[in-house]
Each structure stands twice: as structure tokens, then as C-alpha cells.
């Protein structure tokens, strides 16, 4: 399995796919034509004069040895070239997507330098491939020139002794001369095919990700969630969670708090089935989460994150993504009304059938988040994992989305991952995480009475809020870093 960035994936899906298409569409037919031409030309030389055909053997070492030397070096160079061209796309994509941040923080010169370094790497690798070709191509020329000279020499001697006629000698010389073009085509288009092979290997690298096999629906009893001895790591020696034991009752509201890097978001992804535990088990309704087919899993639990994507299409398309069969319009309008988005949708030219997203009607960050919440209402899961769903919004938009959230969580199991502590008192229980473990678990009052990690976090938050209330409200009341 390979771990790559968005820019690299874009490169594999676009530039690499184009190279592979070009190789298959252009290189394979040209190689086949050149090979057939070579076979018939060689056969004609042998039929005309087997004696003069011996001169062709002199070209074999030049073609075979130079190609044997060139191929492995070129393969590595082409693979490196494709990876470095992907780096250029990655930097460009990152800069364009984060243009506002780049401008706000004055990162333009830094990104230009990164792009310049990526271009320099591509130039150096192209120079490397050009140098390899300056050795290989002259060797291919020698593979036809040397047999031509040797054929003339052998033919002249044989003609003097009467072994071959002038017509035979002339025909073989012309045939040997004709070998040059198909031989060059065969080997140079094989080189082009090699680039396609490097592109194919990069494309197949994406396909190495494990595919989910179709699973039958799993039998569940209720909607309780249980984690037993759960651990998770992103690789050997990179464990993020360990020893997590937790029971969440249906309808319970659990808030997860802790310092940045404590493992809160990773725990949320495990609960939602986005990641799978490397140790222990996560169960919903008694069934292990890994055994649930995706459609059943998404009816049980859904993750709501800080960033929500608006897909190009209609409002209706965005609301019904998680449903195989589109519900009636009344259900969609009801969901929009619940998340306070009805006025926005009715103001669009075609209502539910209005095109939104890039190139169509713009959608504000708060409206995108509310649209995502409406989508959840339509899909109607039993449990929600809210990972700082309003953290990226300004205070006005945040309050609007939080009112939408209040309607959404009614009657559902809710696991909220928060940095702001202003709403933790409403939770049934609070889980405090530190270094990948749950170190405290209980109600707000119980944890304050315990005077442990949560009490320290709470008192720090209260002190920071009262120190400068105006600034605190503008910042959104986030938890101080500890």
C-alpha cells in the first residue's frame, strides 16, 4: 500500500492516465507494425542470400548490449520523473486550494521556492534521461551502419569470386538499409511504452488499497456502542490510541475533550468506521463494526467533521447522496427546514433542482455545513460523531449551525469531539483523553470533584475566558492548548 498526497493522486488520475492511454493507443500499433516489417525484411534477406545475411550479426551486440544497459536505468529515471512531476502538481494544488492562507500569512515566496525546487528536480531528471538517450540512440544507429558496411565488404568479396550476383548484392544492401527505420521505431516506441509502464505502475499503486468485499447485512441488537481494548496506529511504531474501553448507551450524549494530539479525532474515526482498530474490537448493537456493510454502517453511525464538501450538482443531489432511493420532496424540504436552510434553498432559481458548487450557485461555509446536516437528516443515522463541526466558522455562522445541530441530535446517540468547553455541561458524560488513552470518564460535576485532568482543563478555560471576554468571544472560546 502506498501513502500519497492529493496532488500525487491527481497526477496519477490525470497525467499518468494520459501517458498510459498514449502508450496503448500509439506505441502498441507502431511496435507491432515495426516488428512485422523487421520480420519480413529479415526473411527477404535470408531468401535472397544466406551468405550476405551473416553480416547482420555484427549489429546484434550494438542493439542488444546498449538496450540491456539502457532499459533499467531509463525505467528508474522515468518513474522518478513521473513522481517529481506529481510533486509540481501537488505544490500547485496546495497553493491554489490554500490561496487565502498563503496570502494572509505571506507564504507566496515560500511556495514559489517550493515550486521552483520541484521544477529543478524535473529538469535534472529530464537531463538524466536525455543523457541516457545520447548513448543509446547512437548505438542503435551503429546496429544498422555496421551491418551495412560489413554486407558491402562481404558482398564485394563474394561477387569477385562469383559466389553472389550483382543483383543479389544490390537487393541485400537495400534490404539492410531498409532495416534501419523499423528497428529504430521498434526500440524507440518500446521506450515510449516503458514510460506507459511506469505510469501504469503508479496507477496500480492506488489500486493496492484494500477493497471492501460485499458483505451481507449483520444481525444487530439495539444500537449500543462498545469499545474493548481498542488500539490503533498509522503504521509500525506509530500507535495513536491504546487500551480504549468504552460503553456508549443508545441516546447518550458523550463529549470527548483533551489537548491537541491526544487522539480525539482518531477515536471519532474509529467509532464511525472510517478507520479500523489494529487491536481490540469496536461493536455496534453487538456486531463488530468491520463486519457491517457500508450502507448498514452509515445507517448506524455517521461522522460530521469541520470540513464539508459541496458536490457539483443540484441541491437534491447533495441531499440524497447517502440514499439509494431518493425520498419525496416533502422529506427534503423538512430536512432543510430543520437545519434552518429553507430560505436559502427557496431563494435559488430552481429550488431543489438548482445547480450548486463550483461553476454554479456559490455556497457559503455555514450553508455547506447546514447542507451536510440536512443530508444526515435524510439518511437518518442512529448515532453521530461530531468532530468540531463548527470550528472553522465565524461566531455568527457557528451559532446558526449549532442551532441546526440541536435539531439534528434530538433523540440520537451523539459523540462530540470538542475544544470549546462551553457546552460540556449538557453532556451525559465527558471522556478526557491524553496521549491516546481515556484518562477520565464521568459527568461534569463528577470530574470537577475528582480534581484531575478535566478539572485542570476546565479551570484553565474559565480563567482564559474571564481574562479577556471580548477577545475570547471573537476567537470562539476555544480550549487553551495544554
Amino acid at each position: 500500500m502506498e501513502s500519497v498526497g492529493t496532488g500525487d493522486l491527481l497526477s496519477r488520475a490525470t497525467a499518468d492516465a494520459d501517458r498510459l492511454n498514449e502508450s496503448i493507443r500509439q506505441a502498441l500499433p507502431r511496435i507491432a507494425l515495426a516488428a512485422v516489417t523487421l520480420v519480413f525484411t529479415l526473411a527477404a534477406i535470408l531468401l535472397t542470400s544466406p551468405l550476405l545475411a551473416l553480416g547482420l550479426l555484427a549489429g546484434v551486440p550494438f542493439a542488444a548490449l546498449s538496450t540491456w544497459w539502457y532499459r533499467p536505468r531509463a525505467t528508474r529515471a522515468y518513474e522518478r520523473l513521473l513522481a517529481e512531476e506529481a510533486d509540481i502538481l501537488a505544490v500547485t494544488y496546495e497553493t491554489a486550494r490554500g490561496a487565502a492562507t498563503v496570502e494572509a500569512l505571506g507564504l507566496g515566496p515560500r511556495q514559489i521556492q517550493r515550486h521552483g525546487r520541484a521544477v529543478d528536480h524535473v529538469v535534472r531528471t529530464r537531463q538524466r534521461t536525455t543523457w541516457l538517450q545520447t548513448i543509446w540512440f547512437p548505438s542503435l544507429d551503429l546496429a544498422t551502419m555496421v551491418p551495412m558496411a560489413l554486407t558491402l565488404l562481404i558482398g564485394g568479396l563474394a561477387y569477385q569470386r562469383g559466389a553472389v550476383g550483382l543483383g543479389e548484392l544490390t537487393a541485400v544492401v537495400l534490404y539492410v538499409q531498409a532495416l534501419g527505420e523499423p528497428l529504430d521505431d521498434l526500440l524507440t516506441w518500446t521506450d515510449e511504452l516503458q514510460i506507459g509502464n511506469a505510469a501504469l505502475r503508479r496507477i496500480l499503486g492506488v489500486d493496492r488499497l484494500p477493497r471492501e468485499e460485499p458483505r451481507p447485512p449483520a444481525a444487530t441488537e439495539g444500537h449500543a456502542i462498545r469499545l474493548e481494548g481498542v488500539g490503533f496506529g498509522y503504521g509500525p511504531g506509530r500507535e495513536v490510541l491504546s487500551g480504549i474501553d468504552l460503553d456508549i448507551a443508545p441516546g447518550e450524549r458523550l463529549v470527548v475533550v483533551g489537548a491537541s494530539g491526544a487522539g480525539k479525532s482518531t477515536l471519532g474515526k474509529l467509532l464511525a468506521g472510517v478507520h479500523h482498530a489494529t487491536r481490540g474490537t469496536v461493536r455496534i448493537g453487538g456486531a463488530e463494526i468491520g463486519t457491517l456493510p457500508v450502507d448498514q454502517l452509515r445507517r448506524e453511525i455517521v461522522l460530521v467533521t469541520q470540513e464539508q464538501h459541496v458536490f457539483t450538482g443540484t441541491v437534491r443531489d447533495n441531499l440524497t447522496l447517502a440514499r439509494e432511493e431518493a425520498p419525496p420532496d416533502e422529506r427534503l424540504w423538512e430536512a432543510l427546514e430543520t437545519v434552518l436552510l429553507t430560505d436559502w434553498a427557496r431563494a435559488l432559481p430552481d429550488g431543489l433542482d438548482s445547480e450548486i458548487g463550483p461553476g454554479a450557485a456559490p455556497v457559503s461555509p455555514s450553508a455547506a455545513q447546514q447542507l451536510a446536516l440536512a443530508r444526515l437528516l435524510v439518511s437518518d443515522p442512529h448515532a453521530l460523531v461530531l468532530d468540531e463541526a463548527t470550528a472553522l466558522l465565524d461566531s455568527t455562522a457557528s451559532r446558526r449551525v449549532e442551532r441546526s445541530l440541536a435539531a439534528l441530535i434530538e433523540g440520537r446517540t451523539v459523540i462530540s469531539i470538542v475544544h470549546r468547553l462551553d457546552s460540556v455541561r449538557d453532556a451525559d458524560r465527558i471522556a478526557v483523553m491524553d496521549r491516546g488513552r481515556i484518562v477520565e470518564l464521568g459527568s461534569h460535576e463528577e470530574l470537577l470533584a475528582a480534581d484531575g485532568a478535566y478539572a485542570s482543563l476546565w479551570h484553565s478555560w474559565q480563567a482564559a475566558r474571564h481574562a479577556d471576554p471580548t477577545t475570547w468571544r471573537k476567537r470562539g472560546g476555544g480550549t487553551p492548548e495544554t
Side-chain angles (χ1 to χ4, degrees):
M1 193 189 308
E2 298 178 61
S3 178
V4 297
T6 304
D8 193 283
L9 286 175
L10 285 173
S11 176
R12 296 181 191 219
T14 55
D16 291 344
D18 287 342
R19 283 190 174 93
L20 180 59
N21 175 63
E22 185 73 13
S23 295
I24 294 173
R25 193 165 53 88
Q26 296 283 350
L28 288 179
R30 296 294 293 271
I31 289 172
L33 179 61
V36 170
T37 304
L38 278 175
V39 169
F40 279 102
T41 304
L42 290 171
I45 294 173
L46 287 171
L47 291 174
T48 301
S49 175
L51 174 63
L52 296 180
L54 293 176
L56 297 176
L57 296 177
V60 173
F62 293 98
L65 293 178
S66 64
T67 301
W68 173 80
W69 174 86
Y70 173 78
R71 286 282 179 241
R73 291 168 174 80
T75 299
R76 291 192 295 269
Y78 287 137
E79 289 178 350
R80 187 164 62 250
L81 178 64
L82 295 182
E84 289 169 352
E85 288 179 344
D87 290 341
I88 295 178
L89 184 57
V91 175
T92 304
Y93 172 82
E94 179 185 282
T95 304
R97 192 167 188 269
T101 303
V102 171
E103 183 177 359
L105 299 180
L107 300 177
R110 174 179 174 273
Q111 292 300 98
I112 291 173
Q113 288 179 357
R114 286 186 60 196
H115 190 274
R117 285 196 297 270
V119 171
D120 288 342
H121 290 156
V122 169
V123 170
R124 284 196 292 270
T125 304
R126 284 195 178 276
Q127 289 173 339
R128 165 72 174 170
T129 58
T130 301
W131 176 78
L132 292 173
Q133 290 170 349
T134 58
I135 296 175
W136 186 48
F137 286 149
S139 299
L140 297 183
D141 291 337
L142 289 173
T144 55
M145 292 170 61
V146 171
M148 173 72 74
L150 196 58
T151 299
L152 287 171
L153 178 61
I154 296 174
L157 295 174
Y159 176 72
Q160 288 179 350
R161 296 176 182 176
V164 295
L166 184 60
E168 292 173 308
L169 175 58
T170 303
V172 170
V173 169
L174 292 174
Y175 283 141
V176 173
Q177 186 179 14
L179 283 176
E181 184 175 350
L183 180 62
D184 283 347
D185 275 354
L186 178 66
L187 293 176
T188 53
W189 280 103
T190 302
D191 189 55
E192 185 69 27
L193 192 63
Q194 192 163 293
I195 298 176
N197 179 53
L200 177 63
R201 292 173 64 177
R202 282 171 51 79
I203 294 171
L204 292 179
V206 178
D207 194 47
R208 292 175 194 165
L209 292 171
R211 295 182 178 181
E212 179 173 335
E213 298 297 330
R215 303 188 186 103
T220 59
E221 296 181 5
H223 307 289
I225 301 172
R226 167 169 287 188
L227 290 81
E228 296 178 302
V230 167
F232 177 78
Y234 290 101
R238 299 173 59 195
E239 192 168 65
V240 180
L241 300 177
S242 61
I244 302 290
D245 294 299
L246 182 63
D247 287 298
I248 305 172
E252 180 179 6
R253 184 176 179 192
L254 174 73
V255 170
V256 182
V257 301
S260 296
K264 304 185 298 296
S265 294
T266 302
L267 177 62
K269 291 176 181 177
L270 283 182
L271 287 167
V274 177
H275 294 328
H276 296 293
T278 50
R279 288 188 292 107
T281 57
V282 180
R283 300 179 185 275
I284 297 180
E288 192 167 345
I289 199 169
T291 65
L292 299 177
V294 172
D295 57 345
Q296 183 180 5
L297 176 61
R298 291 297 163 251
R299 289 196 300 270
E300 291 291 340
I301 190 165
V302 171
L303 174 67
V304 183
T305 65
Q306 301 171 358
E307 300 180 5
Q308 292 297 332
H309 184 69
V310 176
F311 294 88
T312 300
T314 65
V315 176
R316 186 192 310 278
D317 294 335
N318 274 269
L319 289 174
T320 58
L321 285 171
R323 294 288 294 265
E324 293 183 4
E325 296 182 1
D329 286 2
E330 293 77 9
R331 179 75 184 95
L332 303 183
W333 284 113
E334 181 183 332
L336 291 171
E337 184 176 359
T338 302
V339 300
L340 310 178
L341 208 56
T342 309
D343 292 342
W344 171 83
R346 292 194 186 281
L348 295 172
D350 300 311
L352 294 176
D353 294 315
S354 299
E355 294 284 336
I356 58 175
V363 183
S364 68
S366 61
Q369 194 73 293
Q370 287 170 282
L371 191 63
L373 298 179
R375 184 188 304 142
L376 291 178
L377 281 172
V378 173
S379 64
D380 196 26
H382 296 292
L384 298 172
V385 179
L386 307 178
D387 187 358
E388 284 295 320
T390 62
L392 298 182
L393 304 177
D394 59 48
S395 57
T396 302
S398 177
R399 285 193 295 271
R400 187 162 58 248
V401 173
E402 283 172 353
R403 287 197 296 271
S404 302
L405 273 173
L408 176 65
I409 66 179
E410 185 72 29
R412 305 177 198 274
T413 305
V414 178
I415 300 98
S416 298
I417 298 165
V418 302
H419 290 288
R420 297 197 295 255
L421 302 185
D422 46 358
S423 60
V424 293
R425 290 181 174 181
D426 300 330
D428 298 313
R429 288 188 300 167
I430 300 167
V432 184
M433 294 196 67
D434 183 39
R435 298 180 183 180
R437 294 178 177 272
I438 295 178
V439 295
E440 290 185 332
L441 183 64
S443 67
H444 174 73
E445 292 75 15
E446 290 171 346
L447 295 181
L448 283 182
D451 197 25
Y454 176 77
S456 175
L457 198 63
W458 174 262
H459 294 317
S460 298
W461 181 78
Q462 290 281 71
R465 187 179 66 168
H466 290 108
D468 191 350
T470 303
T471 303
W472 190 253
R473 282 195 296 272
K474 290 180 180 178
R475 290 171 54 196
T479 303
E481 295 296 329
T482 58

